[in-house]
Structure formats: C-alpha cells, structure tokens
Amino acid sequence: MNQRIENLKEYILDKKHHQYRRTPESLGIAALNETFHREQVAPGDRAERMFAAMLANETPVILPGETILLTRTITRVPDLFTEEEWKEIRSKHYIHESGYLSNLSANYRDMVAEGFDARKAKIDTRLQDVKLTKEERHQLEIMRNYIELSQTFLMRYAQHADEQGLAEPAAVLRTIAHKGATTFREALQLLRAVHYLLWISGTYHNTLGRFDQYMYPYMKSDIEKGTLTKEEAYDLLLEFFLACNRDSDLYPGMQQGDNGQSMVLGGRSPQGEYLFNDLSEMCLRASYDLALIDPKINLRVDSKTPLEIFELGSQLTKRGLGFPQYNNDDVVIPGLIRLGYSREDAHDYVVAACWEFIIPGYGMEIPNIDAVSFADIVRESVRTLSQFPSYDEYYRSIEAEIHRRFEAMAEKHKDLYIVPAPFMSLIMNDTIENARDITLGGKYNNFGIHGTGIATAVDSLTAIKKHYFEERKLDAKQLEEAIENNFEGAGEVYELLRHHTPKMGQDDDYADKIAVALMASFDKALAGTKNERGGIYRAGTGTAMYYIGHSAGLGATPDGRKAGEVIPANYSPSMYNKQIGPVSVIKSFTKPDLTCDINGGPLTIEFDESVFRNEESVQKLAMLVKSFITLGGHQLQLNTINLEKLLDAKKHPERYRNLIVRVWGWSGYFVELDEVYQNHVIQRLKYAV
C-alpha cells in the first residue's frame, strides 16, 4: 500500500469521518412518517419522498486523499411508517425482520455498463405503452424520479469536488451520473454510487455479487490500453475496499459488522471455464493487505480448481479475517438446478449477506425466513420414546415432527408484506419491463429455512439408537428424567451420553449415517410446499443468529449436553465433543448429500493461530480445503483466532479495536459484539481443532 492509502485507512479506523455525521432528528426528517400518515401517502410515494429528503440533506464530504467518493453523513434512514401503522400492517401481514427489502444481489453488471441515462430511456420507452395500468405507470414514474434524484445528488457532489480542487474525481462523478463506465475508475465510482444509494433508499444487506466478473473487463481494458498500470489499478481497488468500511457501522444488522457486504470471486462458467482472473487475485491480496472486515470474500471453487488458489485463500485465513468462505460449484450448481433454477442462472449464483445462495438480478428470495431447531425436536421426542418398539418407527416420528413444525412456519409466512424498494427495482431484471416493484416478486421467489443444532440432534439420535434401542443400557424413563433434571444425580447417564457415544465430526459411520438420514429428512419435509408467491422452500445447514436464541431456552439434550451449553453455529460439530482433527470433521460433514440442503450453511472450523508457524502450514491448509471440496462439501469457513487475545480483549477492549472474528456468516470486530456473541466465539475456540 502506498502512503495515501495507509493514511486513508488510519483516518477511517480512527473514525475521524464521524465528525461529519448528523442524526435525522437534527435535520428535521426523523418524523416524516408522521406527515406521511397524516396525509395518507401511499408506500411507494413515501419511499420516494424519504429518498429525496435523505439526498437533499446529505452533505458532500471528501476525506483526505480520497478519490473514490461518497460518504454517508446521516446516521440512519428514518422509518416510513409510524409505530401504529406498523401495528396495523402486522395485524394483516407477515413481516420478515424489519419489513424492508434485504439480502438481494442486483444486476450490477448491466447497471455499471449502461448507467442512469440508459435506465431512464428504458423507462421512457415503457411509459409510451398505452396498455399500462394507472398503478404500473405510477410505478415507472417513481423509478424515473429516483434516477433524477440520484443524478442531482451526484452532480452536487461533483461540484463540491471541483470546489476542493479535485478535477478528476469531479469529472468521473459527472460522467457516471449519466453514462455507463468506460474505465476501471469510472466503474468503481459508479458501483460505489449504486451501493451507496441502495443503502440510502432503505434496503439493507446489499451484496456486491460477482465483483471480479463484472469489473475485470474495465481493468483489463485500461491496462491493455496503457492508461492504467497494475499498481494504479491496485490502489483504486484498495480505495474501493476502504469505501466499503467507512460507513459499515451505519448498515443495519443483528450486530455491527453484520452488514451483508459480501463479494464472490471465481466460479465455473456453463461452458466449463474457470473464471478466476487477475482481479480475483488482486481482491484477495487487497483483503490481506488492508485486514478489514469488508468486503467479506467468498471463493467459488470446485474439485478442478488449482491448488494455488486454495493457497491464496489460506493466506487470508492465516490473516485471521474469518474469510474467505469457500463455495463448491460441484455441489451448489447441481443443487440449484435440482430445485428448478435454470442452468445459466445456477452457474451465476452468488451468496447473500452470510452464505445463502441467490441469483443476481433475478432472485426476489428470502433465504433466511425461518429456522427449525433440530436439537429441540429430538429433546422433546424423549417424552414419547417408550411408545416406539424400534428405532425406525421412532425416527419416522422425528420426520413427522420436522414436517409438522415446518408446516406451521409456512402457514405463518402467508400474506407477506415488504416495503416498496424502487431503487433496487431499477437495477433488477424485468422490473421495468413488468412495471413492477421487485418486492412483489421476481423470477425466483423461494424461501430458505435454516436448521439449528444439527450436530446436537445427530449426536442425540445416535445416543438414543445405541443406548436405548440397541444395547438397552438406558430405559425411556431413566433418560427422560436425566435430561429433565439436567443430569443432576445421573452422573453415569451423563458420562455415557457425553463421552461414550459416537459423535458427528469423528468420522464414525454409526453417527454419520444418522446425519445422512436427518439431512435427507429435512429436504423431504420441505419438498412440494409452495409459498404464496409460487416459490419453493429450501432446506439449509446454516443457523444465522438463531443458534443463540434456540440454545438459550433449550434444556439438556440426549447427547450429554447440559442446559445452558450452547449449540454450534452453522453446520458444525457440537463444541464440547472430543475432536480427532479437522480431517475427521470434514469426512463426517461431507457424507450427507448436500445438493438436497442447498439454502447454504457452512461447515465452520476454528484454528488457534499457533498452527500457522510456517509457510508449510498454509499449504497444508490449502490441501485440507481442497479435500473438503473433492469429498463433496458444499460450503466451508475457517477461523483463525487466539484464545488469550479474546479473553484479554474482553478486559481491555481499547487495545484490540481491530481484532476480527467470524461470528456466524460474517466477520466483525470482536470488541463491538454483544457479550453473548463474544462468549460463543470464545467457547468455540476452546474446542478448536
């Protein structure tokens, strides 16, 4: 990194740009929803008026040494509805999370290439259709107004840049306010503008998609023409990455850092070409050099991916950023095709905020709409254990309960309402053609269901099968009383279940066959169910934030886990299990057919940073990751952390402002997390391999 980038990074890490921030209250726009309510303004018009108010009140700010511009100064986007209005909406509709659009990946490729004027012209052409309904015409007019508001804002920023003597950034802003990009600098600035405006419009968890694929042609062209050197391109990339970090604390999520700024690199084309390019490699190097939480890197790989790419990824793991996350095209693409995605779209998949697989430009999906607690299902089943003469009959009751709980969820999800999102609609496919807000549906309208406590459930089922049905070491009443009393007075039962039972993650076929069955049952329980938008439900092995809530009220379980002990995040072994090593974990967790549980959810493995004593350790890790892919794993994330540092950071947070950890599907600064998440990360490391 050159000195300019170093200085800009320190400026952002020191939060000096926070001096420019103002609250909506101080600007008089916090209570616009009261005005909207009083005037009975329609939702789409509310969105437009709030967008206009936000941009009108944003103050152009240029940080020292900055050339890729746009920094947020308003601390949040005010709500479009009053509390009373939300109460009324919730009485009639299902509301997912905040009710605003999230977890989509826009068609950045076309937007960066075409620019705002081309979109406006497309709308104008569509408005000439006399067959449009009044509502459709109004929708197009709102989208057109969004473009003009954005252009006015960008031109105002350009004027400010000129006033600061920054002629080149000003010229770039004037260009991208109207036209598509023709250079790498313009492409980065236009993407920054689109990303910035998405957040200002109220959508959240906005991903960056296949960044290396749609941005590489601009960099390649500049370098071939001689208008840009590789070093200059790298500096621009570093600055763009820094731009993703300066406002990340203003992006809503469960915790600071959970902002959805994921980026996907590499992947296999429908023609079989592996698409890792010079920009892909440059992105990995930029993440390594900056060592910041954003953007969160995902690598698409497969069994034919060269080992050196896994080595590049392993260097990042060694850095302790909690990424890259690996996604296996050999599993993901067939899994998506199996669920009805076209071959072309399946090959173009990206990940949402955490790990869920979505289609850029086409997917109006909610990949984290709910979660099944497998650990709780098995725990509750102990009360009826004596009713079943065989394990097979007992297991059929588990399958039935999974289906019953899912059906209750699906019933709850009816009458979904999402606040209109005109700006996102501008940059999704078919929305202008259909004169329709993207929140009302796209080409794909599927919902994803997470599964928490998978390993806890597998280990519990293993214990029940082995010690109750087969070896008869326990009777049903004895087991029920032991877990209801949290194993108090049942030390021998506790010891048997916890320490003398096969566990998932130990490469023991006895337990792993049960895992294979459970994952197949999850897929089977969801199969054939349509949501109200005509989409399907997808089973997944992720947990999102549910692993905290689902473990909080969970009593002791038949695997020997006591009440109060956490369940693992994502698709991971139970943390207190004696783990033989990462190879055994990988072998266990790749035995299920994961094309059937393709909503996403990585196997997560923690390493103490002491394992990286030399360069050879990086190569060994790369081979381990490649083995995971070859064995049929679908998703993998590896975390490198130091227990002593984490414990000290809790006592002295001021010393560890840049200590990064992987939380569940995202990386954040450890000292900025709520204590419950800090403690879970610490617990995971205590049982690291």
Side-chain angles (χ1 to χ4, degrees), residues 363-382:
M364 178 50 245
E365 305 186 277
I366 304 179
N368 60 341
I369 200 165
D370 226 322
V372 174
S373 175
F374 287 105
D376 184 64
I377 288 173
V378 179
R379 182 184 190 278
E380 292 299 309
S381 74
V382 175

Side-chain angles (χ1 to χ4, degrees), residues 1-10 64-65 235 242:
M1 289 188 292
N2 62 35
Q3 195 59 52
R4 178 181 72 88
I5 298 295
E6 287 277 12
N7 292 343
L8 187 55
K9 176 184 173 181
E10 286 306 308
D235 285 345
L242 284 174

Side-chain angles (χ1 to χ4, degrees), residues 67-81:
T67 64
I68 295 176
L69 310 181
L70 301 189
T71 296
R72 285 181 63 176
T73 64
I74 304 175
T75 54
R76 73 175 193 282
V77 182
D79 205 334
L80 298 183
F81 297 100

Side-chain angles (χ1 to χ4, degrees), residues 164-338:
Q164 300 300 308
L166 299 172
E168 185 176 11
V172 170
L173 279 174
R174 287 194 175 91
T175 298
I176 63 98
H178 294 278
K179 307 298 181 183
T182 58
T183 68
F184 190 48
R185 180 186 290 276
E186 288 175 355
L188 290 171
Q189 182 63 79
L190 181 48
L191 178 60
R192 172 62 186 163
V194 169
H195 196 56
Y196 175 100
L197 293 164
L198 277 171
W199 288 100
I200 292 293
S201 73
T203 64
Y204 64 103
H205 282 163
N206 302 308
T207 76
L208 292 165
R210 301 187 73 183
F211 178 87
D212 61 339
Q213 300 307 304
Y214 62 80
M215 298 299 283
Y216 178 59
Y218 301 98
M219 186 184 85
K220 182 174 182 287
S221 176
D222 284 355
I223 292 173
E224 289 176 349
K225 290 176 183 176
T227 57
L228 195 70
T229 66
K230 279 194 173 183
E231 292 74 20
E232 290 168 336
Y234 187 60
D235 285 345
L236 287 172
L237 181 66
L238 288 170
E239 188 174 347
F240 178 81
F241 275 31
L242 284 174
C244 293
N245 287 272
R246 61 175 172 251
D247 303 330
S248 65
D249 61 309
L250 299 183
Y251 302 155
M254 285 296 296
Q255 294 279 290
Q256 191 167 311
D258 175 27
N259 52 54
Q261 294 188 111
S262 65
M263 173 183 289
V264 175
L265 307 175
R268 188 74 59 180
S269 74
Q271 293 73 37
E273 179 188 3
Y274 190 59
L275 302 174
F276 193 89
N277 56 45
D278 287 346
L279 182 56
S280 315
E281 186 275 334
M282 202 178 278
C283 287
L284 293 176
R285 183 156 57 96
S287 286
Y288 185 92
D289 287 347
L290 289 171
L292 299 172
I293 63 171
D294 287 307
K296 295 155 178 75
I297 303 296
N298 284 263
L299 269 176
R300 281 182 49 179
V301 294
D302 56 41
S303 58
K304 297 179 182 178
T305 299
L307 182 63
E308 54 262 34
I309 293 175
F310 292 104
E311 290 175 351
L312 289 171
S314 296
Q315 289 285 358
L316 268 189
T317 300
K318 178 182 177 181
R319 188 72 156 144
L321 303 180
F323 50 76
Q325 181 170 251
Y326 297 92
N327 308 275
N328 186 359
D329 282 8
D330 290 338
V331 177
V332 177
I333 292 171
L336 292 173
I337 292 172
R338 172 183 170 272

Side-chain angles (χ1 to χ4, degrees), residues 234-525:
Y234 187 60
D235 285 345
L236 287 172
L237 181 66
L238 288 170
E239 188 174 347
F240 178 81
F241 275 31
L242 284 174
C244 293
N245 287 272
R246 61 175 172 251
D247 303 330
S248 65
D249 61 309
L250 299 183
Y251 302 155
M254 285 296 296
Q255 294 279 290
Q256 191 167 311
D258 175 27
N259 52 54
Q261 294 188 111
S262 65
M263 173 183 289
V264 175
L265 307 175
R268 188 74 59 180
S269 74
Q271 293 73 37
E273 179 188 3
Y274 190 59
L275 302 174
F276 193 89
N277 56 45
D278 287 346
L279 182 56
S280 315
E281 186 275 334
M282 202 178 278
C283 287
L284 293 176
R285 183 156 57 96
S287 286
Y288 185 92
D289 287 347
L290 289 171
L292 299 172
I293 63 171
D294 287 307
K296 295 155 178 75
I297 303 296
N298 284 263
L299 269 176
R300 281 182 49 179
V301 294
D302 56 41
S303 58
K304 297 179 182 178
T305 299
L307 182 63
E308 54 262 34
I309 293 175
F310 292 104
E311 290 175 351
L312 289 171
S314 296
Q315 289 285 358
L316 268 189
T317 300
K318 178 182 177 181
R319 188 72 156 144
L321 303 180
F323 50 76
Q325 181 170 251
Y326 297 92
N327 308 275
N328 186 359
D329 282 8
D330 290 338
V331 177
V332 177
I333 292 171
L336 292 173
I337 292 172
R338 172 183 170 272
L339 291 180
Y341 293 82
S342 75
R343 184 171 180 270
E344 183 178 4
D345 291 340
H347 275 83
D348 201 34
Y349 80 87
V350 297
V351 298
C354 293
W355 53 69
E356 303 91 342
F357 305 118
I358 57 176
I359 309 301
Y362 286 114
M364 178 50 245
E365 305 186 277
I366 304 179
N368 60 341
I369 200 165
D370 226 322
V372 174
S373 175
F374 287 105
D376 184 64
I377 288 173
V378 179
R379 182 184 190 278
E380 292 299 309
S381 74
V382 175
R383 294 192 175 101
T384 60
L385 191 56
S386 61
Q387 299 175 13
F388 303 100
S390 70
Y391 175 79
D392 288 345
E393 290 175 274
Y394 163 70
Y395 184 74
R396 283 195 288 272
S397 76
I398 295 293
E399 284 191 313
E401 180 62 13
I402 295 170
H403 186 67
R404 188 197 68 78
R405 293 197 185 193
F406 163 65
E407 282 188 321
M409 288 178 185
E411 183 65 27
K412 181 179 66 175
H413 302 151
K414 291 182 177 178
D415 299 314
L416 175 71
Y417 177 77
I418 307 173
V419 175
F423 191 83
M424 179 64 85
S425 299
L426 277 172
I427 47 180
M428 295 293 285
N429 297 332
D430 302 331
T431 44
I432 293 174
E433 292 85 346
N434 295 329
R436 179 182 172 95
D437 195 277
I438 188 60
T439 59
L440 298 177
K443 182 177 180 180
Y444 301 108
N445 301 286
N446 303 326
F447 295 165
I449 304 292
H450 296 309
T452 69
I454 290 172
T456 305
V458 169
D459 295 348
S460 296
L461 288 169
T462 301
I464 290 169
K465 181 181 182 183
K466 183 177 181 64
H467 300 309
Y468 175 72
F469 283 105
E470 293 182 353
E471 298 182 0
R472 296 293 178 179
K473 291 181 179 178
L474 299 172
D475 62 41
K477 184 177 180 181
Q478 184 183 18
L479 180 59
E480 181 180 358
E481 288 180 351
I483 65 171
E484 288 299 331
N485 295 323
N486 201 28
F487 299 110
E488 290 185 15
E492 290 184 3
V493 175
Y494 170 77
E495 184 69 18
L496 177 68
L497 297 175
R498 189 168 178 119
H499 299 300
H500 299 284
T501 305
K503 307 287 184 181
M504 188 180 184
Q506 297 174 340
D507 190 25
D508 187 316
D509 281 342
Y510 190 94
D512 295 343
K513 285 179 180 178
I514 291 175
V516 170
L518 185 63
M519 299 319 303
S521 297
F522 190 16
D523 172 62
K524 178 182 173 183

